[in-house]
């Protein structure tokens, strides 16, 4: 049974920081590329960041580049999203996702095989 469980969401003031974690189980974590997506109320789910299985290839959405950092610890089966300089526009439910093959297709939801239930992030003004 594959499980991805996000944690670390919460309420933060604009300009603040949060670190999200996603712990995986039931899969060989080091074989999977990992991604973060987010979905705001009334909006489609959008790509945030991606990291390859080895950690050697990283991609970010333009909206978070320079503010967010994705990383992974394969020994802990965990991927992280460090979020700095948060803005109200970052308010969303954040989802962790896993994809089996390292390909150039990283920013579409259909490329991923497994999803976590999400964790809520609210950035207030």
């Amino acid at each position: 049974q594959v499980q991805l469980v996000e944690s670390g969401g919460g309420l933060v003031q604009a300009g603040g920081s949060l670190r999200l974690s996603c712990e995986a189980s039931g899969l060989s974590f080091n074989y999977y590329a990992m991604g973060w997506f987010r979905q705001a109320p009334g909006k489609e789910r959008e790509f945030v960041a991606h990291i390859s299985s080895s950690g050697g290839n990283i991609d970010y959405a333009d909206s978070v580049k320079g503010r967010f950092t994705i990383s992974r610890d394969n020994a802990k089966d965990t991927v992280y999203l460090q979020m700095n300089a948060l803005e109200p526009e970052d308010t969303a439910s954040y989802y962790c996702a896993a994809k089996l093959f390292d390909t150039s297709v990283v920013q579409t939801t259909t490329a991923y095989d497994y999803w976590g239930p999400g964790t809520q992030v609210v950035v207030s003004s």
Side-chain angles (χ1 to χ4, degrees):
Q1 184 75 23
V2 174
Q3 292 190 46
L4 305 176
V5 180
E6 303 95 340
S7 62
L11 175 64
V12 65
Q13 296 286 319
S17 298
L18 286 172
R19 189 180 75 158
L20 306 183
S21 299
C22 171
E23 185 174 1
S25 61
L27 54 75
S28 296
F29 183 74
N30 61 323
Y31 293 167
Y32 284 79
M34 302 296 295
W36 286 98
F37 290 74
R38 66 187 184 187
Q39 188 166 21
K43 301 286 189 178
E44 292 186 341
R45 191 166 299 187
E46 67 174 352
F47 170 76
V48 175
H50 155 272
I51 186 167
S52 63
S53 59
S54 68
N57 186 33
I58 292 174
D59 300 275
Y60 297 101
D62 288 343
S63 59
V64 307
K65 196 171 299 181
R67 299 188 297 121
F68 290 11
T69 302
I70 189 171
S71 62
R72 66 190 295 157
D73 187 342
N74 283 356
K76 296 183 177 181
D77 294 348
T78 301
V79 63
Y80 305 94
L81 186 68
Q82 178 67 46
M83 306 186 295
N84 299 325
L86 283 162
E87 304 167 351
E89 293 76 17
D90 297 316
T91 295
S93 182
Y94 282 72
Y95 297 89
C96 173
K99 67 192 296 285
L100 179 59
F101 297 107
D102 285 320
T103 71
S104 61
V105 182
V106 300
Q107 66 179 15
T108 178
T109 59
T110 57
Y112 293 80
D113 302 292
Y114 301 105
W115 293 85
T119 186
Q120 305 297 318
V121 172
V122 177
V123 184
S124 66
S125 300

